[in-house]
Amino acid sequence: MEQLIRYVQQVLPLSPAKATALVARFKPVVFEKNSYLLQAGQICNTYYFIETGILRAYAYDLEGNEVTTAFFSENSFASDLLSFFQREPSREYIQALSDCRTWALSYDDMQENFHSLPEFREFGRLKIVASYGQLKGRMLSMLQETAEERYAGLLKNSPGLFRQVPLKYIASYLGITDSTLSRLRKASVKK
Amino acid sequence: MEQLIRYVQQVLPLSPAKATALVARFKPVVFEKNSYLLQAGQICNTYYFIETGILRAYAYDLEGNEVTTAFFSENSFASDLLSFFQREPSREYIQALSDCRTWALSYDDMQENFHSLPEFREFGRLKIVASYGQLKGRMLSMLQETAEERYAGLLKNSPGLFRQVPLKYIASYLGITDSTLSRLRKASVKK
DNA sequence: CGCATTTCTTGCCTTTTGTCAAGTGGAATT
DNA sequence: AATTCCACTTGACAAAAGGCAAGAAATGCG
């Protein structure tokens, strides 16, 4: 739990008392490797802080292929923000790729926090704007970079990912096939 | 101004009095065709409601090519949300593609509204979640659809766009070159 | 350990998209 | 009316990425 408190304070500097109050409603939940935190069709009702472990979110395209939409690693939040805030059924699955320890905050508890703690409103706004920013950066990289540049960028920013998750998931996250990713890797070794 | 009030009430049902108070701080601003509402390097300080006209946002990639990141049309808001809320320099330009009539809300006035009107907080949260949702949908379409499918989708959802803006901007918005877009159009006529 | 499953790589070939340059047509400008 | 500019199209070729299938390597499991 200290880890979560530290994380919150790093996003939004707060007194220890405030920070503790802010995270008080989070409850510990563990997930086994390959289990699901969320399934398509459900309304995402929980906002998870990942203490240990790694997860991915994915959806299916029209031909039935899995498309990895996000990875979530330690010290970050996992959720389908859209389903969570708009209270609508998710189109995604969130799956644990390893055993995970998390802290879970329900939608109702988040609303309570919003009402009782002005700081939490600020925290919430910061987090969603940050998520928007991340998504925008990724969108831009899809529009203006080649697959090779996107691969190089991800390798640079998240080298750990390549040690933790199967390449085929990374490939679909980058918007390419696993064959193409394999070839890009081969080509980049030569350089 | 009635148009803006109607728009607000459609996003968030409110009494006429509340809605009027909510939009009271917006000020009318007009832009000539080809003028800029925002330039890269500036901190986006205004949130614009577009009453009439059409605009685009664009950035430059590493080779110096323009990449259109968004279109804004009548009855919607134009802004660089990231720069606006994070108070950091924008990397984008927002340009009027036609003469535009807008209602402008400054960052400070928005903060005032946040403090004095709880409904406005709700409105703000709804709008940013909606923007996040749009961006996510577009991201997904980049990951899982072919250029041809993206073109067909945009044509279906925003047919007006093709009558109002040069195809080259639409091409870079779709993540393809104008040559490719021209060929896709030719091919889709045959069907 | 040995077998089964999954992950990853690779070759061959096709499809998609890009690049470059030329050319057309229309709108704006002088 | 002539000129310039811009948007769009098109052809020829090149590069990037995908589809499919075979096989190698790694992993999981009884």
Side-chain angles (χ1 to χ4, degrees), chain B residues 2-3 14 18 51-52 60 75 78 103 125 137 181 191:
Chain B
E2 296 139 39
Q3 195 178 338
L14 286 175
K18 285 275 181 194
E51 187 177 310
T52 62
Y60 287 95
N75 261 297
W103 293 89
R125 213 210 59 195
L181 178 56
K191 290 178 187 170

Side-chain angles (χ1 to χ4, degrees), chain A residues 110-126:
Chain A
M110 182 178 278
Q111 295 303 323
E112 293 292 327
N113 269 2
F114 278 148
H115 288 131
S116 57
L117 299 164
E119 293 84 357
F120 192 72
R121 280 203 289 268
E122 179 70 2
F123 179 79
R125 214 210 58 194
L126 284 172

Side-chain angles (χ1 to χ4, degrees), chain A residues 29-39 48 50-58 66 68 70-74 78-79 92-102 164-166 169:
Chain A
V29 182
V30 300
F31 292 94
E32 289 195 343
K33 179 170 177 172
N34 292 327
S35 64
Y36 287 89
L37 286 70
L38 175 70
Q39 306 235 11
Y48 296 98
I50 316 298
E51 186 175 311
T52 64
I54 186 156
L55 313 106
R56 70 166 182 135
Y58 67 93
E66 286 181 7
T68 298
F71 293 106
F72 305 103
S73 48
E74 298 183 1
S79 188
E92 304 197 336
Y93 298 81
I94 299 182
Q95 182 183 31
L97 296 179
S98 69
D99 291 347
C100 294
R101 279 211 311 275
T102 72
Q164 292 180 88
V165 319
Y169 298 153

Side-chain angles (χ1 to χ4, degrees), chain B residues 129-144:
Chain B
V129 171
S131 295
Y132 179 86
Q134 281 188 299
L135 194 55
K136 186 153 183 177
R138 192 161 160 226
M139 180 81 239
L140 219 52
S141 81
M142 290 298 299
L143 285 177
Q144 62 185 196

Side-chain angles (χ1 to χ4, degrees), chain B residues 166-168 179 182-183 186:
Chain B
L167 290 175
K168 59 177 183 175
S179 303
S182 179
R183 290 182 183 114
K186 188 180 177 184

Side-chain angles (χ1 to χ4, degrees), chain A residues 75-95:
Chain A
N75 262 298
S76 66
F77 288 100
S79 188
D80 179 344
L81 290 182
L82 211 56
S83 169
F84 186 85
F85 282 116
Q86 309 232 32
R87 310 271 75 205
E88 64 185 28
S90 177
R91 275 167 247 153
E92 304 197 336
Y93 298 81
I94 299 182
Q95 182 183 31

